[in-house]
Amino acid sequence: MRRDQQPKDESSQSRAGKARLTKMTPEERREVARAGAAARWAKADPERASLPRAEFGDDNRPLQINGMSIPCFVLEDERRVLTFSGMQDALNMAKGGSMVPGMNRFELFASRDRIKPFISNELMERIRKPIVFISPSGGRAYGYEAEVLVEICEAVLAARSSETGLQKQQMQIAHQCELIMRGLARVGIVALVDEATGYQLVRKRDALAKILEAYISKELLPWAQRFPLEFYEEIYRLHRWDDLDPAGKSKPGYVGMLTNALVYERLPTGVLEQLRTQNPKDLDGNRKFKHHQFLTEDIGNPHLEKHLAKVVGLMQASDTWAEFKRMFRRVFKVPENEPSRGRGSMRI
């Protein structure tokens, strides 16, 4: 369809949204698409609401053990989970071939004659029932608690040392198990020393310092348009503020509170507090600069803009403010009772 043949009822917001998409980087467009997909999934699959969600973890930052990469997450109920496929790859376990109906690959492996005597009933029960959860990207994922990998490795190595030993094709899995156990032993002893000496608390302080160094600029950046007009257009649309202009310079104070709750409070812990320290309010309750002028160009502001793209995508996929809030809390793992972070903020 040519531009001069666009439907007459296409709104200016829709055209502005399309124009913004053309200006986005491929990565930014993927973030918008991912947020939109999560919103559609939430509508189409009510059962998803009952599945545990990954609170911590990143698809692109797997657990590294002796050159093996296993995607890992911490669920909202604090279970540490390794993905089914990641464990399968780490153990060099075959993915194809014949399967016994009703049995997954790990269950089939654990049922082999030379392995089964070393698999406890409790472990077999856990192997039979992988954990189904929602990954950070919004899709369903399957995995096991991290301890299951350790217990499988222990069982395989015990079978290898037994009188019957292992079959030739099982020896390569035993080799991978040995590499995993050695890697875990090295990491484990460091963690135990850190806990015994109290150094883990220092590590947390150092980690916060590194986050602030990465996100907070040492110099004030010149003002630039960081918040797209669509962000305000969607807030006004969902609140039905038809008599207000989202492009106007003067905005209700409530919009500023929403900006904190939806955007700045989603930056890493400690960043908003530091921004408030460096950009304090004057006697009239106003700030001289915009918070984003204190964010770094290479990490802070790119993170801000990617997050904004997600938020706008969720708002565009919503028909009401209440619907948007439900999807926002689900996508960004915001607990219902999360407190606001000080004055000028609010619960979402």
Side-chain angles (χ1 to χ4, degrees), residues 74-275:
V74 178
L75 305 186
E76 55 193 353
D77 57 10
E78 298 188 358
R79 282 180 292 178
R80 279 72 167 172
V81 173
L82 306 178
T83 63
F84 189 100
S85 58
M87 287 175 53
Q88 201 170 350
D89 290 340
L91 293 175
N92 277 346
M93 194 173 287
K95 294 184 178 180
S98 60
M99 286 286 292
V100 177
M103 298 180 69
N104 66 53
R105 179 64 64 180
F106 281 97
E107 186 179 357
L108 179 63
F109 174 75
S111 300
R112 298 298 189 193
D113 290 341
R114 302 194 183 189
I115 303 293
K116 188 174 180 179
F118 301 92
I119 301 289
S120 67
N121 292 335
E122 181 184 359
L123 176 57
M124 181 62 80
E125 188 64 22
R126 298 170 80 185
I127 289 174
R128 288 193 181 110
K129 299 178 180 178
I131 298 168
V132 186
F133 64 98
I134 303 301
S135 72
S137 60
R140 289 191 182 217
Y142 299 82
Y144 290 116
E145 289 189 71
E147 294 88 339
V148 171
L149 175 61
V150 175
E151 292 178 31
I152 289 176
C153 288
E154 289 174 339
V156 171
L157 294 177
R160 187 181 65 176
S161 301
S162 67
E163 291 183 3
T164 55
L166 295 174
Q167 296 175 339
K168 183 176 180 181
Q169 63 269 29
Q170 295 171 335
M171 289 298 292
Q172 65 172 353
I173 295 178
H175 175 68
Q176 293 300 112
C177 288
E178 186 172 3
L179 292 178
I180 289 171
M181 296 303 288
R182 286 179 179 176
L184 292 176
R186 285 196 297 271
V187 174
I189 192 64
V190 171
L192 288 172
V193 170
D194 287 356
E195 182 177 2
T197 60
Y199 183 63
Q200 62 179 350
L201 301 177
V202 176
R203 283 194 317 184
K204 290 180 181 178
R205 290 196 296 270
D206 288 347
L208 175 59
K210 289 178 181 178
I211 288 173
L212 294 180
E213 183 178 355
Y215 275 79
I216 305 298
S217 176
K218 291 182 173 62
E219 298 179 359
L220 181 69
L221 298 179
W223 183 89
Q225 183 69 45
R226 300 290 184 183
F227 282 70
L229 178 59
E230 290 89 344
F231 175 74
Y232 300 108
E233 287 176 338
E234 292 301 321
I235 288 178
Y236 283 41
R237 176 181 68 84
L238 292 173
H239 283 88
R240 304 189 187 283
W241 294 341
D242 300 327
D243 56 334
L244 298 179
D245 180 11
K249 290 185 178 180
S250 178
K251 294 181 173 60
Y254 181 66
V255 173
M257 296 171 66
L258 284 177
T259 301
N260 277 336
L262 298 175
V263 182
Y264 285 113
E265 289 187 10
R266 304 307 137 197
L267 295 175
T269 301
V271 172
L272 176 57
E273 290 74 11
Q274 184 66 24
L275 289 174

Side-chain angles (χ1 to χ4, degrees), residues 6-25:
Q6 288 181 340
K8 293 182 179 180
D9 61 350
E10 183 178 23
S11 68
S12 61
Q13 293 180 6
S14 176
R15 291 195 298 274
K18 291 178 180 178
R20 175 166 172 75
L21 282 175
T22 62
K23 297 177 182 179
M24 289 182 178
T25 65

